[in-house]
Amino acid sequence: MKIVMICFGLLLTVTSVHAEQAVKTVCPKTETLSLLTEQDKQELLQELPRSIIPKLYGKNPKYLDYKAEVIMPMQNLQGVEKSYYYMAIQNCGRNIANRSWFVRMRFPKMQNAYSFSEIFVAKKQNNEWIIWYQYH
């Protein structure tokens, strides 16, 4: 029985460490962010392969093949995805959430939990895109 309890404890520790590593939040400063525009969506689509995906995943070829399933301003999310907007508010505040985009990507060459990625991104006033939250 003691061995079972030790194994269970180790499993919980490993699981919680993995969960902590999966989430990364770095709140940007509101005053540095641009307001959202419709033009930003097209720019964000172009920026994904150019800088965002390489910044997140390096040159791993399994991540070069992707499909952006959802790209939407956080405040416009509906249904189940609305919970990501509330998560953004809880993590960094309403002002940042309202200036951020939600992106869900699928990586068809990945065959595990890493085949999806959700990120929160925002555009700075200097036109630089920043990833302030990533969940795998």
Side-chain angles (χ1 to χ4, degrees):
M1 181 67 169
K2 194 173 190 176
I3 293 174
V4 171
M5 293 301 289
I6 291 171
C7 289
F8 183 69
L10 287 173
L11 179 62
L12 286 177
T13 303
V14 170
T15 303
S16 66
V17 167
H18 178 70
E20 288 174 17
Q21 291 173 345
V23 177
K24 176 181 146 187
T25 304
V26 179
C27 298
K29 295 181 180 179
T30 306
E31 61 273 7
T32 65
L33 301 180
S34 297
L35 296 174
L36 301 179
T37 68
E38 276 299 314
Q39 181 182 351
D40 288 340
K41 183 174 183 175
Q42 291 305 314
E43 187 179 321
L44 180 52
L45 278 167
Q46 293 173 354
E47 205 60 35
L48 282 170
R50 187 178 325 163
S51 68
I52 294 173
I53 291 175
K55 188 181 288 185
L56 290 172
Y57 306 108
K59 296 183 181 192
N60 185 334
K62 291 182 178 180
Y63 289 104
L64 297 178
D65 180 22
Y66 73 95
K67 179 181 181 211
E69 292 193 340
V70 179
I71 297 181
M72 186 172 288
M74 296 290 289
Q75 62 191 9
N76 294 348
L77 293 171
Q78 299 292 317
V80 175
E81 290 168 343
K82 189 77 169 179
S83 62
Y84 289 104
Y85 176 60
Y86 298 126
M87 183 187 309
I89 292 171
Q90 183 175 358
N91 285 336
C92 293
R94 187 173 303 275
N95 288 335
I96 292 171
N98 288 343
R99 293 178 183 216
S100 298
W101 291 81
F102 171 77
V103 179
R104 176 180 294 126
M105 296 174 287
R106 179 197 306 259
F107 302 97
K109 292 183 180 177
M110 301 299 287
Q111 298 296 321
N112 55 25
Y114 292 101
S115 63
F116 283 95
S117 180
E118 286 99 4
I119 57 174
F120 300 174
V121 296
K123 184 177 176 184
K124 293 174 111 180
Q125 292 174 358
N126 67 1
N127 293 325
E128 174 190 357
W129 286 92
I130 57 170
I131 305 142
W132 64 267
Y133 177 87
Q134 175 190 9
Y135 182 75
H136 242 346

